[in-house]
């Protein structure tokens, strides 16, 4: 016999106003009920391993269970309301805050790594503990991460506790889909001329590819990308690196920014305030947060303290709420 029947929710696409109707469609995967006699609790399995067996399955069922859902997500999120580039501490904080504030918005997260979280799985120099200066502990309170209070800062016993808790909460939102092992290769643009700049553009989505494909464009050919349209993109790709500062470097090459300021040396006292306060929409349709901003503004780096990453994500979400309706109206023209 086959394993238990399974259903899953496909979020309904936004209506003309970009707002879903709150309904979902149950998709039956046509998998038959499980065999009788399977344990119903872990206690029933304890000390009874000779009689243990998994429910029967065909290998093709595993493949279909994965691919049906993935391709349904690709279809559904090809038109998204917001795309967040980067699922590090800033991007995840932005996703959590935005999904909480606007459950009507369809949010696609694009993460180049197989494992989301960026540099927030460990503290500095591969040490475990995560330090956050106050008042960033308010975000820890919000997501339920315990910490030790050291006066002007708090310490989470392991950075992975913060990252795994935040990631788990983000992935449980029905209006958020994470596409990891996926790279953003370019930005979709639309003309948005102004009196000051007749060549100005606004950002209208992202160009994507699987990360392993992106890494081999130099030695392979004809590996064209995919796309996601969205009236608003939040970029949190971090400071310069293999995939870091991607969006702002692309703005320079598109002549939408004259040049990057370049990240300055480490100064925690100035860096964290600067990153949070200057999280903003850089060009129409593109909000930049986290350490990617340091490359735009010439801000100092902050090193192993993570409060600004979380609160920059919160501010990025607030900025998104403030401009989303305007950007959506522009996309509908």
């Amino acid at each position: 016999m086959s394993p238990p029947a399974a259903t899953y929710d496909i979020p309904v696409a936004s209506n003309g106003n970009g707002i879903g109707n709150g309904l979902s469609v149950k998709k039956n995967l046509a998998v038959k009920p499980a065999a009788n006699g399977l344990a119903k609790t872990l206690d029933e399995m304890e000390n009874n391993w000779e009689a243990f067996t998994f429910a029967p399955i065909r290998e093709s069922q595993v493949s279909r269970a994965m691919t049906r859902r993935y391709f349904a997500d690709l279809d559904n999120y090809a038109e998204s309301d917001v795309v967040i580039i980067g699922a590090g501490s800033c991007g995840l904080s932005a996703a959590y805050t935005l999904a909480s504030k606007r459950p009507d918005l369809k949010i696609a997260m694009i993460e180049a790594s197989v494992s989301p979280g960026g540099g927030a799985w460990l503290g500095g120099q591969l040490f475990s503990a995560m330090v956050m200066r106050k008042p960033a502990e308010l975000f820890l309170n919000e997501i339920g991460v315990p910490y030790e209070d050291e006066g002007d800062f708090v310490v989470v016993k392991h950075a992975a506790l913060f990252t795994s808790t935040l990631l788990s909460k983000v992935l449980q939102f029905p209006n958020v889909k994470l596409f990891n092992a996926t790279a953003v290769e370019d930005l979709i643009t639309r003309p948005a001329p102004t009196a000051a700049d007749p060549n100005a553009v606004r950002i209208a989505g992202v160009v994507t590819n699987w990360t392993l494909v992106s890494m081999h464009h130099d030695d392979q050919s004809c590996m064209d990308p995919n796309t996601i349209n969205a009236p608003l993109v939040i970029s949190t790709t971090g400071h310069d690196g293999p995939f870091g500062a991607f969006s702002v470097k692309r703005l320079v090459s598109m002549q939408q920014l004259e040049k990057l300021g370049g990240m300055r040396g480490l100064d925690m006292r100035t860096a964290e305030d600067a990153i949070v306060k200057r999280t903003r929409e850089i060009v129409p349709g593109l909000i930049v947060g986290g350490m990617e901003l340091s490359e735009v503004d010439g801000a100092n780096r902050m090193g192993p303290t993570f409060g600004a990453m979380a609160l920059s994500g919160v501010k990025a979400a607030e900025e998104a709420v403030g401009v989303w309706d305007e950007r959506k109206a522009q996309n509908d023209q």
Side-chain angles (χ1 to χ4, degrees):
M1 297 180 67
S2 299
T7 62
Y8 68 99
D9 290 340
I10 300 178
V12 172
S14 300
N15 61 22
N17 296 321
I19 299 175
N21 59 13
L23 301 177
S24 61
V25 178
K26 289 290 185 181
K27 187 80 171 180
N28 196 314
L29 297 183
V31 181
K32 297 178 181 179
N36 294 328
L38 292 178
K40 301 297 188 297
T41 66
L42 285 174
D43 286 342
E44 290 182 22
M45 286 194 289
E46 189 174 352
N47 298 319
N48 193 31
W49 295 106
E50 290 299 322
F52 167 82
T53 184
F54 282 106
I57 197 169
R58 286 183 63 80
E59 289 79 4
S60 61
Q61 289 176 304
V62 176
S63 179
R64 286 169 172 165
M66 294 187 297
T67 57
R68 285 177 179 176
R69 287 166 171 81
Y70 195 87
F71 284 107
D73 287 332
L74 284 176
D75 180 74
N76 187 35
Y77 282 87
E79 283 280 352
S80 292
D81 295 317
V82 178
V83 171
I84 298 175
I85 310 175
S89 48
C90 182
L92 289 170
S93 300
Y96 175 87
T97 306
L98 186 58
S100 301
K101 289 178 176 291
R102 292 291 300 269
D104 55 302
L105 297 182
K106 188 162 53 176
I107 303 166
M109 297 197 75
I110 312 297
E111 168 55 47
S113 176
V114 171
S115 55
W121 289 109
L122 289 166
Q125 199 169 315
L126 305 183
F127 300 137
S128 300
M130 172 178 275
V131 176
M132 285 195 179
R133 293 165 62 197
K134 292 182 176 180
E137 88 283 1
L138 300 178
F139 188 75
L140 298 177
N141 295 341
E142 169 72 18
I143 63 174
V145 172
Y147 53 82
E148 300 172 38
D149 194 322
E150 296 283 353
D152 289 331
F153 63 92
V154 302
V155 182
V156 179
K157 69 177 183 179
H158 201 300
L161 177 59
F162 166 79
T163 305
S164 60
T165 300
L166 179 56
L167 179 61
S168 173
K169 290 182 179 295
V170 167
L171 292 178
Q172 291 181 64
F173 282 107
N175 59 325
V176 176
K177 170 60 185 179
L178 170 66
F179 296 95
N180 52 319
T182 304
V184 170
E185 292 192 337
D186 208 346
L187 302 171
I188 299 173
T189 63
R190 298 285 186 266
T194 65
D197 185 2
N199 297 315
V201 301
R202 62 180 173 82
I203 307 305
V206 296
V207 178
T208 64
N209 217 325
W210 282 314
T211 301
L212 289 176
V213 172
S214 293
M215 294 170 65
H216 285 276
H217 282 313
D218 290 341
D219 53 56
Q220 299 292 327
S221 62
C222 300
M223 298 189 293
D224 285 331
N226 204 353
T227 59
I228 299 176
N229 283 106
L232 191 59
V233 174
I234 300 174
S235 189
T236 64
T237 68
H239 54 71
D240 199 3
F243 293 99
F246 171 81
S247 296
V248 297
K249 288 189 290 188
R250 189 68 182 95
L251 290 181
V252 173
S253 65
M254 290 191 294
Q255 299 181 339
Q256 298 302 301
L257 288 177
E258 181 180 353
K259 63 179 182 179
L260 298 181
M263 183 173 64
R264 303 295 198 265
L266 193 150
D267 184 346
M268 292 180 182
R269 295 173 298 176
T270 62
E272 291 205 280
D273 286 1
I275 293 300
V276 175
K277 289 179 178 179
R278 294 187 61 78
T279 297
R280 66 195 186 280
E281 191 178 34
I282 298 291
V283 299
L286 180 69
I287 293 170
V288 178
M291 289 309 293
E292 188 167 1
L293 270 175
S294 67
E295 302 290 352
V296 180
D297 296 337
N300 293 89
R301 65 186 301 169
M302 63 192 63
T305 175
F306 289 82
M309 295 298 93
L311 296 188
S312 177
V314 172
K315 189 167 186 286
E318 292 177 355
E319 294 286 320
V321 170
V323 301
W324 188 84
D325 290 327
E326 181 180 356
R327 299 293 168 250
K328 179 63 167 63
Q330 290 173 328
N331 264 22
D332 289 342
Q333 292 175 359

